[in-house]
């Protein structure tokens, strides 16, 4: 039995069979200062009725507001267009965005085993790059692969590539079914491969080596990495080499099937899945457990975060250390690159997110997670705002963070304070949908929640900056014979 989602499409392809259950978010813990569950349910019903998905409606200054889903973006007060004609300028007064609305929640279909400690958490969630699949480590050694048929045009507007892989993808969606991957060990990390970029008549590099066009890698408690074929759910092979938990995984976004793994054995390892999973390199330099790794969208850099006060930046060409990013006061636990590779954000237990220029190592901005007095009682501990996860939005204008103070925060790139909050309990990870519009979060009880997020019409200025920065480094921009203010804009120094 298919359960209709509140956005008017099948929510995640989740069936009523054991494994994953879709339900409305009616039992969220009440947090003072945040709309009550009853009020949120009314919004939930409004979002689920009528036209279906949140329709993108252009607003003042080129912004857009969610008509149904209430995932409203910020806009300049007074309705005047800002300098960016689509994003607020340095001097614009901004109205707060409305808080994210909980659209749906996925729960494990099997009862929790209380005699097995640390086995039910959702440590990782992942969308495939095309948004057709969602993967979820729901605890108890199980990963759920859920087809994500977002066929509504307002929710999925990515242009289709006229390639063999996109045609195969379209055929596979029609017969896609939910799958359960029994991994045999607690699953900590998840990563989808990118779709190989191939023109008509070219040989698909993935298919040439016998791999399907889309694969999922899972990092396990015993140090193994299991690689699965997404369309069939079959195990392709296992990668052996790590001596402890594989905490995180990251595929090169260019479709080369290069995989980087981060482990508690204090190393990162580089694998080439186009060569039967051959280990290419071992990166050593951390002295604590490695929590996170992220490859830049241009595939030139790798950032790794460990239980240390600094993050390491590596070259993906020579596999050598570029620099150590120092500035946090506690363990760095999460990192992510902007879509144009021009920015890097790191999140730490010190309750701060630092925004870096990865090319120069300069700190551009620090976002401090100040506990909301209304959300915390007087007995709260000092580290209640310790961060767990940070990620960029697909257009690169927003950040999402999950912290231990029971809040999901959304930040605008230009501001030092969050533009929206949502109450959530025991959050561990977060990830934007590849085409924007909502965020998936994982929790300690094995649940996944889906929240509305600001839907943005990027300004022409930002689109030009994003296009230029995909192939120009900061040093190359600074060397251009252009005005100083334009250089500052292109290098994200106009905050």
């Amino acid at each position: 039995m298919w359960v209709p989602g509140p956005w008017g499409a099948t929510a995640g392809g989740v069936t009523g069979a054991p494994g994953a259950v879709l339900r409305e978010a009616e039992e969220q813990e009440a947090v003072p200062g945040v709309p009550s569950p009853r009020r949120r349910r009314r919004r939930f019903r409004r979002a689920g009725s009528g036209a279906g998905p949140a329709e993108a409606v252009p607003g003042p200054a080129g912004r857009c507001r969610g008509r149904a889903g209430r995932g409203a973006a910020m806009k300049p007060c007074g309705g005047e267009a800002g300098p960016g004609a689509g994003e607020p300028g340095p001097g614009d007064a901004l109205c707060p965005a409305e808080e994210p609305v909980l659209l749906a929640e996925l729960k494990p279909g099997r009862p929790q085993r209380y005699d097995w400690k640390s086995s039910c958490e959702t440590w990782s969630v992942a969308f495939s790059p095309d948004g057709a699949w969602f993967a979820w480590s729901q605890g108890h050694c199980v990963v759920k692969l859920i087809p994500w048929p977002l066929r509504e045009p307002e929710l999925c507007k990515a242009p289709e590539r006229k390639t063999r892989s996109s045609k195969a993808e379209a055929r596979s969606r029609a017969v896609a079914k939910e799958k359960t991957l029994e991994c045999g060990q607690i699953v900590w990390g998840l990563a989808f491969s990118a779709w190989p970029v191939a023109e008509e008549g070219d040989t698909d590099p993935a298919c040439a080596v016998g791999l399907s066009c889309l694969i999922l890698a899972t990092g396990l408690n015993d140090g193994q990495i299991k690689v699965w074929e997404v369309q069939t759910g079959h195990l392709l092979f296992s990668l052996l080499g790590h001596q402890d938990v594989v905490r995180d995984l990251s595929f090169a976004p260019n479709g080369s099937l290069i995989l980087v793994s981060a482990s508690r054995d204090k190393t990162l390892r580089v694998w080439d899945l186009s060569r039967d999973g051959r280990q290419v390199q071992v990166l050593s330099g951390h002295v604590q457990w490695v929590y996170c790794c992220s490859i830049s969208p241009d595939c030139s850099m790798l950032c790794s975060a460990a239980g240390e006060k600094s993050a390491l930046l590596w070259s993906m060409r020579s596999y050598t250390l570029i620099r150590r990013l120092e500035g946090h006061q506690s363990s760095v636990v999460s990192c992510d690159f902007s879509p144009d590779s021009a920015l890097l954000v790191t999140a730490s237990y010190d309750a701060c997110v630092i925004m870096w220029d990865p090319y120069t190592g300069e700190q551009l901005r620090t976002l401090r997670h100040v506990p909301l007095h209304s959300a915390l009682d007087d007995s709260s501990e000092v580290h209640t705002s310790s961060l767990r996860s940070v990620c960029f939005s697909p257009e690169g204008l927003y950040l999402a963070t999950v912290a231990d103070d029971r809040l999901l925060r959304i930040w605008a790139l230009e501001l030092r304070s969050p533009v929206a909050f949502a109450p959530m309990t025991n959050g561990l990870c977060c990830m934007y949908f590849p085409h924007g519009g909502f965020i998936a979060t994982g929790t300690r009880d094995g649940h996944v929640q889906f929240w509305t997020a600001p839907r943005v019409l990027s300004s022409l200025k930002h689109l030009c900056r994003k296009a230029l920065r995909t192939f120009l480094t900061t040093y190359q921009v600074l060397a251009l014979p252009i005005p100083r203010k334009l250089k500052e804009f292109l290098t994200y120094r106009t905050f």
Side-chain angles (χ1 to χ4, degrees):
M1 174 181 175
W2 294 93
V3 183
W7 42 75
T10 303
V14 182
T15 66
V21 180
L22 180 67
R23 68 177 178 86
E24 295 183 7
E26 295 188 354
E27 298 176 2
Q28 282 291 308
E29 181 177 355
V31 176
V34 182
S36 66
R38 179 175 298 176
R39 180 181 173 190
R40 290 198 298 274
R41 286 198 297 272
R42 288 199 297 268
R43 291 180 180 177
F44 180 90
R45 296 188 184 103
R46 284 200 298 270
S49 60
E55 184 176 350
V57 182
R63 291 286 185 170
C64 61
R65 294 175 289 175
R67 176 178 293 173
R70 297 180 65 86
M74 292 182 59
K75 62 182 186 299
C77 294
E80 296 296 329
E87 78 267 353
D92 285 345
L94 297 171
C95 301
E98 296 189 42
E99 72 277 2
V101 174
L102 182 58
L103 296 176
E105 185 168 0
L106 304 180
K107 298 172 58 181
R110 62 182 67 183
Q112 294 187 6
R113 294 169 57 181
Y114 295 102
D115 59 333
W116 193 353
K117 296 182 180 180
S118 300
S119 63
C120 66
E121 297 91 346
T122 295
W123 291 108
S124 296
V125 295
F127 287 102
S128 62
D130 62 347
W133 290 90
F134 177 73
W136 155 40
S137 62
Q138 66 172 28
H140 306 299
C141 313
V142 172
V143 170
K144 275 292 179 183
L145 262 177
I146 301 171
W148 203 255
L150 298 178
R151 297 185 178 92
E152 296 292 338
E154 291 84 1
L155 290 177
C156 190
K157 294 186 176 181
E160 294 185 4
R161 291 193 299 243
K162 300 301 181 181
T163 64
R164 285 196 303 159
S165 44
S166 64
K167 293 177 181 179
E169 165 201 338
R171 290 194 301 269
S172 66
R173 284 193 187 188
V175 295
K177 295 181 180 179
E178 176 184 323
K179 298 172 180 64
T180 299
L181 308 181
E182 297 282 353
C183 296
Q185 291 282 331
I186 298 171
V187 181
W188 292 80
L190 295 172
F192 281 99
S193 65
W195 286 98
V197 179
E199 300 296 333
E200 287 288 348
D202 289 349
T203 301
D204 189 328
C207 296
V209 296
L211 295 179
S212 65
C213 292
L214 185 64
I215 59 179
L216 176 72
T218 56
L220 306 183
N221 197 66
D222 62 354
Q224 285 191 73
I225 301 169
K226 290 190 175 181
V227 180
W228 309 81
E229 184 180 8
V230 170
Q231 302 297 336
T232 63
H234 293 158
L235 178 65
L236 297 175
F237 46 78
S238 296
L239 306 178
L240 305 177
H242 282 297
Q243 305 301 312
D244 207 335
V245 172
V246 177
R247 186 61 184 83
D248 197 21
L249 297 162
S250 181
F251 271 101
N254 60 4
S256 63
L257 296 179
I258 293 295
L259 174 68
V260 175
S261 55
S263 171
R264 284 186 180 177
D265 65 10
K266 306 175 187 178
T267 68
L268 298 110
R269 294 175 188 257
V270 184
W271 314 83
D272 188 348
L273 301 193
S274 68
R275 300 182 182 180
D276 297 323
R278 183 173 71 89
Q279 182 174 287
V280 176
Q281 191 76 27
V282 178
L283 305 180
S284 301
H286 288 290
V287 296
Q288 299 292 337
W289 293 351
V290 188
Y291 290 124
C292 181
C293 60
S294 178
I295 300 177
S296 61
D298 66 1
C299 298
S300 66
M301 296 172 286
L302 165 70
C303 182
S304 58
E308 304 159 11
K309 297 179 181 179
S310 59
L312 301 187
L313 196 63
W314 309 81
S315 169
M316 282 296 291
R317 298 186 176 96
S318 62
Y319 300 117
T320 56
L321 181 65
I322 299 174
R323 66 175 49 89
R324 188 179 296 270
L325 302 174
E326 298 179 334
H328 285 288
Q329 303 303 312
S330 188
S331 299
V332 183
V333 294
S334 184
C335 58
D336 194 25
F337 283 93
S338 62
D340 58 5
S341 304
L343 297 173
L344 170 68
V345 288
T346 55
S348 168
Y349 286 158
D350 63 8
C352 290
V353 170
I354 296 181
M355 193 179 302
W356 309 82
D357 184 324
Y359 296 103
T360 66
E362 180 182 352
Q363 294 185 34
L364 302 180
R365 169 154 293 187
T366 299
L367 308 177
R368 304 186 185 280
H369 284 61
V370 179
L372 295 182
H373 297 294
S374 58
L376 301 171
D377 56 32
D378 295 334
S379 62
S380 296
E381 307 221 349
V382 176
H383 300 291
T384 49
S385 290
S386 294
L387 283 163
R388 293 289 174 178
S389 183
V390 62
C391 62
F392 266 100
S393 62
E395 80 290 330
L397 290 173
Y398 288 91
L399 293 172
T401 58
V402 169
D404 285 345
D405 61 358
R406 300 181 295 160
L407 288 173
L408 166 69
R409 290 173 172 84
I410 297 178
W411 309 71
L413 209 61
E414 299 87 353
L415 301 180
R416 294 184 182 274
S417 58
V419 299
F421 300 86
M424 63 175 298
T425 303
N426 296 327
L428 289 176
C429 57
C430 61
M431 186 177 189
Y432 270 91
F433 180 65
H435 309 309
F438 60 92
I439 300 169
T441 59
T443 69
R444 286 191 179 277
D445 54 10
H447 296 193
V448 175
Q449 298 169 332
F450 299 96
W451 306 84
T452 58
R455 298 181 65 85
V456 182
L457 293 176
S458 298
S459 69
L460 182 59
K461 279 179 64 176
H462 177 67
L463 292 175
C464 290
R465 173 173 61 182
K466 184 177 174 182
L468 286 172
R469 292 310 308 271
T470 56
F471 64 89
L472 289 179
T473 69
T474 300
Y475 295 113
Q476 290 172 326
V477 171
L478 295 177
L480 294 175
I482 56 177
R484 178 178 57 84
K485 288 188 177 180
L486 186 52
K487 292 181 180 180
E488 292 175 349
F489 174 77
L490 292 176
T491 57
Y492 292 91
R493 283 159 173 81
T494 55
F495 296 144

